[in-house]
Amino acid sequence: DAGVIQSPRHEVTEMGQEVTLRCKPISGHDYLFWYRQTMMRGLELLIYFNNNVPIDDSGMPEDRFSAKMPNASFSTLKIQPSEPRDSAVYFCASSLATGETTEAFFGQGTRLTVV
Amino acid sequence: AQSVTQLGSHVSVSEGALVLLRCNYSSSVPPYLFWYVQYPNQGLQLLLKYTSAATLVKGINDFEAEFKKSETSFHLTKPSAHMSDAAEYFCAVRPSGNTPLVFGKGTRLSVIA
């Protein structure tokens, strides 16, 4: 398996524009997670899905953020409108539903810069 | 809520020296603990995980961690640092079941030649 695939790797956009980040989880994984990494706050969980259903989106910072998982092999994280403070590295991760010791597998991340 | 605390945001060691990265957890029940490594411009990669089968856990690249319940710690060690070990290291805990991992703030390891 190619692992978790995220696209694009880098995104530079102007304030106010819509940004869509994409993720393809590892085939067969039941859980998908979106994290955001910043210098100030470290790694924060934004939202996670189980079998394509959103379970907890309490980490989504504002209504400007939305995430979908239309099928088991694809998820998107959308920011509309984007703001400079959204600049961060966004990671997607996936895991099997096999219990407490199951590790999450991470993609290489999307570095978002909003100018 | 369960959490982990990583002591020291930056650790610097000489090549060949012992690496010690500290992680303490807050938990009233047996925690499920992980160490991940992030190389520059890369995603996170699992180094090792505690499964309660043994208190001393061996991981990749000669890293190991010891679970000490009395100290609520899960420190990461490596006997001899290599230049290639320079990276960010994250301790994480899974509160229960299939809940998401909760990460510490990370420790950046620098290795000096």
Side-chain angles (χ1 to χ4, degrees):
Chain A
D1 200 312
V4 177
I5 299 172
Q6 292 187 246
S7 64
R9 287 294 311 276
H10 302 274
E11 178 80 41
V12 180
T13 190
E14 292 185 347
M15 183 174 63
Q17 296 298 306
E18 177 180 296
V19 176
T20 300
L21 311 181
R22 297 173 175 78
C23 174
K24 176 180 168 54
I26 293 173
S27 178
H29 280 194
D30 305 278
Y31 284 80
L32 184 139
F33 311 90
W34 282 100
Y35 286 87
R36 179 172 68 176
Q37 183 179 37
T38 61
M39 290 289 290
M40 292 298 294
R41 302 174 68 92
L43 270 163
E44 305 173 276
L45 178 71
L46 300 177
I47 185 172
Y48 76 100
F49 296 82
N50 176 215
N51 292 326
N52 314 337
V53 177
I55 303 301
D56 184 355
D57 66 354
S58 60
M60 298 284 262
E62 309 173 23
D63 291 346
R64 298 183 297 105
F65 285 69
S66 63
K68 294 182 179 180
M69 192 166 185
N71 57 63
S73 60
F74 184 64
S75 177
T76 60
L77 178 67
K78 185 177 295 186
I79 308 173
Q80 165 64 17
S82 58
E83 297 183 3
R85 58 192 168 126
D86 302 331
S87 297
V89 181
Y90 291 80
F91 287 104
C92 177
S94 68
S95 72
L96 289 166
T98 54
E100 295 89 349
T101 59
T102 305
E103 66 261 39
F105 293 81
F106 282 75
Q108 294 200 310
T110 296
R111 182 175 297 277
L112 174 65
T113 304
V114 183
V115 298
Chain B
Q2 289 198 22
S3 65
V4 289
T5 302
Q6 292 185 243
L7 299 176
S9 59
H10 184 208
V11 170
S12 185
V13 301
S14 297
E15 191 174 19
L18 171 72
V19 175
L20 171 60
L21 304 181
R22 300 177 187 274
C23 174
N24 288 88
Y25 64 90
S26 64
S27 172
S28 59
V29 296
Y32 302 95
L33 295 160
F34 304 75
W35 274 100
Y36 278 81
V37 60
Q38 183 183 26
Y39 297 105
N41 299 314
Q42 298 293 318
L44 280 73
Q45 176 184 352
L46 181 71
L47 270 178
L48 51 81
K49 61 182 178 181
Y50 172 65
T51 63
S52 76
T55 56
L56 184 63
V57 182
K58 294 188 182 298
I60 62 172
N61 299 336
D62 295 328
F63 281 95
E64 61 183 36
E66 186 171 8
F67 175 74
K68 290 187 177 180
K69 185 177 180 179
S70 61
E71 299 178 5
T72 61
S73 68
F74 191 56
H75 300 333
L76 183 70
T77 60
K78 180 172 180 174
S80 176
H82 294 167
M83 298 296 290
S84 59
D85 294 326
E88 187 99 18
Y89 292 80
F90 293 91
C91 183
V93 64
R94 168 167 279 119
S96 65
N98 285 304
T99 56
L101 294 174
V102 176
F103 287 87
K105 295 291 188 185
T107 298
R108 184 163 60 92
L109 176 66
S110 297
V111 182
I112 304 167

